[in-house]
């Protein structure tokens, strides 16, 4: 779920696209699928983010058509479209694909006030250990991979960006103090998860 300007809200569905309502305060909000008829290659939404820079800009990351918690591990093979990241510049009325590389299970999208776009991925369709964090400074026209550590979430915390890395007993949390260009362990090597346990 992501909120935009005014009362406009968005919901991403794991197998049904992106839905928008102009008012969440109505007794029964009227939801519309804003991806119907769009020239995009994704209906399986794994990440959703309204820009911190421009509230009319919305990002949606593509992933699997089911939750990974319903399978044997984090990299459930299914019929989802792992086709990258989409963007809308008009509060969800029209959408286009960015140049984010296909076949990654996108887990989070974060645009910083500096107009830096960060995208995280947990795994690759053909390599369950291949994930990471990508950075774009041109609105998604080009991306540079800045971390190869499979990543589950991205969060802004003051001037830093915090990333979590599921299933890593050491290095489960990392931080960047330069807008996502470099990443360092955030003290998680000292966390005691218990014998044989790993954070999900």
């Amino acid at each position: 779920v992501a909120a935009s300007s005014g009362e406009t809200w968005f919901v991403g569905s794991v197998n049904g696209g992106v839905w928008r309502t102009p008012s969440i305060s109505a007794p029964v909000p009227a939801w519309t699928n804003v991806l119907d008829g769009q020239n995009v290659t994704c209906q399986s939404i794994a990440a959703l983010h309204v820009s911190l820079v421009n509230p009319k800009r919305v990002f949606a990351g593509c992933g699997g058509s089911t939750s990974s918690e319903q399978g044997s591990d984090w990299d459930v093979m299914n019929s989802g479209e792992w086709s990258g990241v989409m963007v809308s510049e008009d509060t969800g009325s029209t959408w286009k694909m960015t140049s984010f590389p296909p076949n990654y299970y996108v887990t989070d999208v974060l645009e910083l006030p500096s107009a830096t776009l960060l995208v995280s991925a947990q795994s690759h369709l053909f390599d369950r250990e291949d994930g990471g964090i990508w950075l774009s400074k041109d609105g998604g026209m080009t991306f540079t991979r800045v971390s190869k550590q499979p990543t589950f979430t991205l969060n802004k915390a003051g001037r830093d960006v915090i990333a979590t890395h599921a299933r890593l007993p050491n290095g489960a949390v990392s931080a960047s103090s330069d807008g996502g260009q470099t990443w360092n362990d955030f003290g998680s090597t000292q966390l005691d998860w218990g014998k044989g346990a790993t954070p999900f």
Side-chain angles (χ1 to χ4, degrees):
V1 177
S4 186
S5 58
E7 289 193 355
T8 302
W9 282 73
F10 295 89
V11 171
S13 169
V14 294
N15 203 19
V18 176
W19 295 75
R20 176 182 66 189
T21 183
S23 177
I24 199 72
S25 62
V28 179
W31 293 94
T32 303
N33 190 320
V34 293
L35 292 186
D36 285 349
Q38 298 287 333
N39 187 27
V40 294
T41 56
C42 177
Q43 290 287 333
S44 297
I45 309 303
L48 196 58
H49 174 71
V50 173
S51 169
L52 300 174
V53 179
N54 176 0
K56 292 186 175 183
R57 185 178 305 133
V58 185
F59 297 94
C62 307
S65 62
T66 186
S67 168
S68 61
E69 293 181 23
Q70 296 175 351
S72 58
D73 69 4
W74 63 89
D75 198 31
V76 177
M77 289 295 188
N78 53 50
S79 58
E81 303 112 339
W82 297 25
S83 52
V85 176
M86 303 174 288
V87 62
S88 169
E89 299 285 352
D90 52 11
T91 322
S93 294
T94 60
W95 294 80
K96 65 180 180 179
M97 300 300 297
T98 67
S99 69
F100 188 81
N103 296 323
Y104 281 97
Y105 198 134
V106 176
T107 52
D108 214 345
V109 179
L110 177 64
E111 186 178 29
L112 302 176
S114 61
T116 298
L117 180 63
L118 297 171
V119 176
S120 66
Q122 180 68 17
S123 59
H124 189 277
L125 184 61
F126 303 112
D127 182 353
R128 57 190 256 146
E129 303 296 336
D130 180 14
I133 302 171
W134 285 257
L135 181 149
S136 174
K137 293 201 171 196
D138 54 16
M141 293 177 62
T142 60
F143 283 91
T144 301
R145 193 173 190 177
V146 292
S147 171
K148 291 188 176 180
Q149 202 166 18
T151 303
F152 204 62
T153 63
L154 297 167
N155 293 283
K156 187 175 180 317
R159 287 199 261 173
D160 294 338
V161 181
I162 308 297
T164 61
H165 313 286
R167 77 184 186 275
L168 296 179
N170 296 315
V173 182
S174 61
S176 172
S177 58
D178 58 7
Q181 296 180 77
T182 59
W183 295 85
N184 298 295
D185 181 74
F186 196 56
S188 60
T189 54
Q190 300 175 25
L191 296 173
D192 182 8
W193 300 104
K195 185 177 181 181
T198 56
F200 184 74

